[in-house]
Amino acid sequence: MRRACETQCTTTLDVVEVLLARENGFCFGVKKAVELTEAAAETGRPVHNLGQVVHNPKISQRLAARGVKIINDPADAAEGIVVIRAHGVPPKVREQIEQRGLECIDATCSLVLRAQRFTKQLADEGYTVILLGTPDHPEVVGLVAYAGDNYRIVETEEQWKKLPKMKRAGVVSQSTQPPWAFTALVAHVATIAQEMKVYNTVCPVTVKRQVAASELAQQVKTIIVVGGKNSANTRELVNLARMQGRDAYHIEDAKELQPSWVRGQERVGLIGGCSTPMDTLIEVKERIEALGSTEPVPA
Ligand code: SF4
């Protein structure tokens, strides 16, 4: 975008225009998890997050500044409060927290709780649970604990094409998987199972965010995606932009921006994952604008 120089120069400046996606900021599940942890920290008692409360390093730093510790096992907390993160946990972990006499604050997102209920229901009804997800993702670790002994985790077409024929298949998904992958998996399972039951547990909030990323990709050549490197929904936004032939860069904060990504561009798209705070996005926006503008030419 070319803009007239306001003072003391006779030429115009090249200024990069930053287009923000129409969906940004925390989703309701992340907002609740962060608020519950902050409220726990205000009690003055020792507060522990079981794993990163959400996959965003800035949020972890912010909570650490309030004295919140991250632990990986309830046994690591001697006293106080343990907050279960938005991704949920296997039931035995919740039991462990209670057995140790610790106060448990459950910040599992309501949509993840719903997916856990459906997974258990499928297992109880005798279906082989087919779970679309990343095996070591904490949400998936929690979900399979409800799937009984008869389940398969698949993440790619190559993997689900190897599923054997089966009598009864029940299909569910990790919340942040792309809807097109879930649809493709369901279509395939319909060809190998005599009976099939499907619960669509893809999170509608992440779907909206993915639609917003696609719309943004139609307007720019380059998209900056901001969010934790281990955030599944953020990585999905990067994949989506790349699938549309865009240059997509995944960063956690403004310091990682490279001038070569934005310089000379008329417009750059900007979107954050569901656990990226708005203030981080604003910092990135300002940094893109600073890196993308040319120096004023003195009169
Ligand atoms: S992305 Fe969806 S499922 Fe995950 S915490 Fe947010 S609202 Fe809940």
Side-chain angles (χ1 to χ4, degrees), residues 137-149:
H137 189 280
E139 182 187 332
V140 173
V141 172
L143 284 173
V144 294
Y146 291 88
D149 297 328

Side-chain angles (χ1 to χ4, degrees), residues 78-90:
E79 56 175 335
I81 301 170
V82 174
V83 183
I84 293 175
R85 57 182 160 187
H87 306 110
V89 290

